[in-house]
Amino acid sequence: MNLKNNILRLFIVFLSAIILPSATFGQPEKTGSGKVIVSFVPQFLINNGIRIDYDRQINENNWLQVAPQFYLRERSSSSDNEFTDRYNSLLGAGLHVYHRYYPGKGAGINGVYLSYGLTCQFFNLQYDEKIMTNSVERYSKITKTGAEINIGKMVKISNLFIVDFYTGLGFKYSFLKSDAKEPKRFDNFYTDYGYTGNILNLGVRIGLAL
């Protein structure tokens, strides 16, 4: 529990460090100037994750996008679903860093962009492995790295709110440490925590232009 609390505190401190200065430095400018975007990526909830993106404009055409993540789940003692309860507990964190390029006259024209970057994620999983008639508690530590390239379109709902649709391709490679007899438990699909191989990205971000 101490490790979980420490990671959660670090995640909150990191978000505060990037959001609060932006709000302070942005006061002299008009609301919705769009030099900074803070957004939420809802599809990460499917994998018991929270991802908050921080985008900062470098110049008219170029942006830096930083996307920290935090993962946490503990299975309820009353739960008995073989598909969703492949593990008893999950703790993880990650970081995606992208360069985003808007062609032409930048993001304010049509919102179409190209982004590319690197990803790194860490997961600790505890689960039960069946050996003959017995269930043995197992542990897996996964470090997943990768690279992605995406195309997308950012739509301004108002001066303050944006919706960003994106799709793309990438590659993931996972380093696994486990005491299980069958350690590839989390490498069945490209959304799995320990997947290695090509991926297809398809997502949406909902954010604030500060």
Side-chain angles (χ1 to χ4, degrees):
M1 290 301 295
N2 289 334
L3 179 59
K4 296 177 183 179
N5 292 336
N6 289 337
I7 290 182
L8 181 57
R9 290 191 189 101
L10 287 174
F11 186 75
I12 293 172
V13 169
F14 180 82
L15 292 182
S16 300
I18 62 175
I19 293 173
L20 293 179
S22 299
T24 302
F25 298 150
Q27 286 177 358
E29 301 178 4
K30 65 181 182 179
T31 301
S33 62
K35 302 297 182 182
V36 169
I37 296 174
V38 178
S39 56
F40 171 66
V41 188
Q43 61 267 22
F44 272 66
L45 294 172
I46 299 173
N47 253 14
N48 300 293
I50 297 175
R51 170 174 153 177
I52 303 294
D53 286 18
Y54 173 81
D55 302 2
R56 176 172 285 277
Q57 186 178 26
I58 301 171
N59 55 40
E60 185 178 49
N61 300 99
N62 298 282
W63 288 65
L64 176 66
Q65 177 184 348
V66 180
Q69 305 129 49
F70 175 69
Y71 299 82
L72 178 65
R73 183 177 184 270
E74 291 189 4
R75 189 175 79 172
S76 169
S77 58
S78 61
S79 179
D80 189 21
N81 187 314
E82 184 176 354
F83 179 75
T84 60
D85 295 328
R86 293 181 299 156
Y87 54 87
N88 300 325
S89 67
L90 162 70
L91 178 64
L95 183 67
H96 293 186
V97 179
Y98 303 93
H99 171 240
R100 177 180 290 197
Y101 175 73
Y102 291 88
K105 294 186 178 181
I109 303 302
N110 57 24
V112 175
Y113 65 85
L114 170 71
S115 70
Y116 55 90
L118 302 176
T119 71
C120 189
Q121 296 166 304
F122 306 92
F123 303 104
N124 287 339
L125 296 119
Q126 182 272 317
Y127 57 96
D128 295 327
E129 182 181 39
K130 289 186 177 180
I131 300 178
M132 300 183 69
T133 59
N134 299 320
S135 290
V136 180
E137 188 175 75
R138 299 299 194 189
Y139 298 87
S140 287
K141 293 184 178 181
I142 299 169
T143 300
K144 183 160 64 174
T145 61
E148 300 177 5
I149 182 168
N150 299 303
I151 57 172
K153 181 176 177 62
M154 185 179 67
V155 179
K156 284 192 174 183
I157 305 301
S158 67
N159 282 339
L160 185 60
F161 294 99
I162 63 98
V163 178
D164 184 4
F165 303 93
Y166 64 90
T167 186
L169 300 173
F171 178 81
K172 300 286 186 181
Y173 188 88
S174 295
F175 301 89
L176 174 65
K177 291 183 179 180
S178 177
D179 60 354
K181 289 186 175 296
E182 297 181 5
K184 294 289 187 178
R185 185 184 183 101
F186 304 102
D187 188 10
N188 297 319
F189 194 57
Y190 70 87
T191 57
D192 274 352
Y193 303 110
Y195 176 77
T196 291
N198 298 323
I199 62 168
L200 172 66
N201 283 331
L202 183 63
V204 61
R205 305 191 308 157
I206 303 169
L208 301 174
L210 305 177

